[in-house]
Amino acid sequence: MISLLSRLMVIAAVSISSVSFADTLPDLKGRTILAVTENAYTPLNFVDPATGEGIGWEYDAMNEIGERLNAKIEWHLSSWDTMIQAVKQAQYDVGMDGITINEERAQQIDFTVPYLTSQQFMLVRADEDRFTDAESFAANDDFQFGAQAGTTNFYVAVYDVLDGNEDNPRITLLETFGTSVQALKSGDVDSVLMDAASARGYIGANPGAFKIIGGPLGSEDFGFILTPGSDLLKPINAAINSMKKDGTLDALNKKWFFDYNQ
């Protein structure tokens, strides 16, 4: 668990940086921003087992953006498979769930500037010794991936590890990212692809249960999604860029990817 000192240092860093940029960023004059996530992507968004409340990197980042822009963030939940369409139809102002920026999605919704860069790795059970990398996994038809359809993890499994067939029966489709990890833990699948930061989060939260094998399988940028033509795009981009410059995003990375499970 993150230490009290670490929490105070992050809070202090965020508070100081908020004051520093308060006079230079757009003022949304108390506007309410409807934000949506899934609570199934540790450590970006997930349920705090102690409180039952949604927490994580993306919660902290968007709440900080609201502070810097003088806006109130109103949180909502949605499943991954309906989130992009819901934001496209303006049911919510901004969505987030470790969403990779790509041209296909950009034709439906607007993306902010990147806030994280992800590389995919193979998460396996800690006692796994039947395969050691993507090549040895792909060589045995008995091995199964667990993934959500339409996610980065799914497409990397299809095109970077297996045969390019999106109907390949070696991918067990599951409803959420969290259920994929549970399926791995229980032995129903043999690997789940995830970015290194999330993998460290799951390994830290489940001591002795998981490990990473092989090398990175791709590099992708995550962005928040907004309704096409949203007037919030420029203000949120300005806030993200200010958080990059003053070290706030680095502080959040340390808090959620390294300190949280200590």
Side-chain angles (χ1 to χ4, degrees), residues 12 46 114 127 133 218 229:
F46 62 106
D127 61 354
D133 53 22

Side-chain angles (χ1 to χ4, degrees), residues 1 30 45 51 60 65 68 75 98 101 104 106 113 157 163 165 175 191 208 216 224 228 233 245:
M1 183 65 69
N45 58 76
T51 67
D60 280 2
I65 289 170
R68 295 185 181 217
W75 287 99
I101 299 172
E104 179 182 356
V113 294
D163 58 359
N165 176 13
E175 292 185 357
S191 179
F224 299 119
L233 182 60
K245 290 178 181 177

